[in-house]
């Protein structure tokens, strides 16, 4: 039979052994909508992709899910401070930047670091630029429609970039259906 002292010691040790809860990072913003990407090479047929997307931005991470027409996950991109991870039906890959992963996946540049700001109508310094068009990092952003409420958030964003090869370009069009915070 265990003494009261032994039982108290066991309870105290058990309390010390519980794992601390990890607090999730506060949400900065989330956007849901549709995306189309068209990459043109000089003489080749353009590569096109359309998907639904869910973009979730916290203070520590960015996560972008691209979903097919039936809601299946086509890819999930996670971006942390020092590492990016792309999960798709081809497996899981990691790289130092999300741009490296998406360049390999789409065979076209996708400016994730800039999109974190451009999606919200800001330049990379955080200054509000929408609804006016502007250029940054070789990309041209156009805000063709804004939400009618007082949020001043974009509803339709069009990004274009002319690539160095003759006749080569990339166009990304985002239609945001819903914003959170």
């Amino acid at each position: 039979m265990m003494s009261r002292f032994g039982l108290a010691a066991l309870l105290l040790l058990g309390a010390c052994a519980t794992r601390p809860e990890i607090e999730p990072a506060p949400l900065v913003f989330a956007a849901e909508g549709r995306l189309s990407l068209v990459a043109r090479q000089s003489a080749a047929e353009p590569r096109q992709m359309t998907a639904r997307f869910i973009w979730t931005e916290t203070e520590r991470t960015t996560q972008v899910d691209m979903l097919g027409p039936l809601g299946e996950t086509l890819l999930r991109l996670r971006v942390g401070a020092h590492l990016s991870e792309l999960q798709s039906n081809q497996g899981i890959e990691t790289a130092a930047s999300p741009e490296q992963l998406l360049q390999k996946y789409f065979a076209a540049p996708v400016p994730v670091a800039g999109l974190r700001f451009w999606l919200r109508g800001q330049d990379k310094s955080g200054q509000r630029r929408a609804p006016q068009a502007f250029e940054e990092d070789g990309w041209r952003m156009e805000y063709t429609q804004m939400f009618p409420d007082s949020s001043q958030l974009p509803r339709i964003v069009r990004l274009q970039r002319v690539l160095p090869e003759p006749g080569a370009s990339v166009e990304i069009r985002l239609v945001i259906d819903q914003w959170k915070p």
Side-chain angles (χ1 to χ4, degrees), residues 58-140:
T58 70
E59 291 178 356
R60 291 185 223 139
T61 61
T62 299
Q63 180 171 305
V64 181
D65 292 322
M66 292 193 186
L67 310 170
L70 300 176
E72 72 279 13
T73 301
L74 302 173
L75 69 84
R76 172 171 283 163
L77 177 68
R78 289 188 185 128
V79 183
H82 305 292
L83 188 68
S84 297
E85 177 183 277
L86 179 71
Q87 182 179 352
S88 71
N89 62 355
Q90 300 170 1
I92 297 174
E93 295 185 54
T94 59
S97 78
E99 288 80 9
Q100 291 173 326
L101 292 169
L102 293 179
Q103 172 73 41
K104 185 176 176 183
Y105 188 84
F106 292 119
V110 178
V112 176
L115 268 170
R116 298 176 64 208
F117 299 94
W118 304 335
L119 191 63
R120 294 179 284 166
Q122 302 172 349
D123 61 23
K124 288 170 65 177
S125 74
Q127 179 182 346
R128 169 141 310 282
R129 300 295 293 266
Q132 287 77 33
F134 70 98
E135 292 187 22
E136 190 170 44
D137 294 342
W139 289 88
R140 176 170 175 77

Side-chain angles (χ1 to χ4, degrees), residues 5-7 10-11 21 24-25 30 33 75 81 134 139 145 148 151 157 165 173 181:
F5 177 75
L7 181 60
L10 186 61
L11 288 173
E21 290 289 321
L75 69 84
F134 70 98
W139 289 88
Q145 188 177 1
S151 67
V157 183
E165 302 82 33
R173 186 170 184 249

Side-chain angles (χ1 to χ4, degrees), residues 145-164:
Q145 188 177 1
M146 302 295 284
F147 271 92
D149 61 16
S150 62
S151 67
Q152 298 183 349
L153 290 169
R155 167 110 169 88
I156 300 175
V157 183
R158 184 173 168 231
L159 290 85
Q160 291 180 296
R161 182 174 188 175
V162 175
L163 301 174

